[in-house]
Amino acid sequence: MTEREKIAGGLERAQGAGVIDEVIEPARTRGAIALAIAEAVPARGAHGDIPV
């Protein structure tokens, strides 16, 4: 355990506190990002207007 992990708490503490949603393996990063973008709600202005 590094000094920073001793002070900040590390991955397990972050997961327990709900700071992170999931841990993604490096080989799955590109697919996870693509999926998140595909599932994201399209952005709209404060009044429902489509951004120009």
Side-chain angles (χ1 to χ4, degrees):
M1 182 178 284
T2 66
E3 185 67 27
R4 187 186 112 357
E5 287 176 325
K6 290 178 187 173
I7 295 169
L11 179 61
E12 292 80 20
R13 184 171 176 188
Q15 286 177 313
V19 177
I20 58 173
D21 294 327
E22 69 178 300
V23 177
I24 303 169
E25 296 296 323
R28 294 185 42 231
T29 303
R30 184 179 298 212
I33 292 172
L35 180 62
I37 292 171
E39 292 179 346
V41 178
R44 297 224 175 224
H47 301 286
D49 297 332
I50 299 172
V52 180

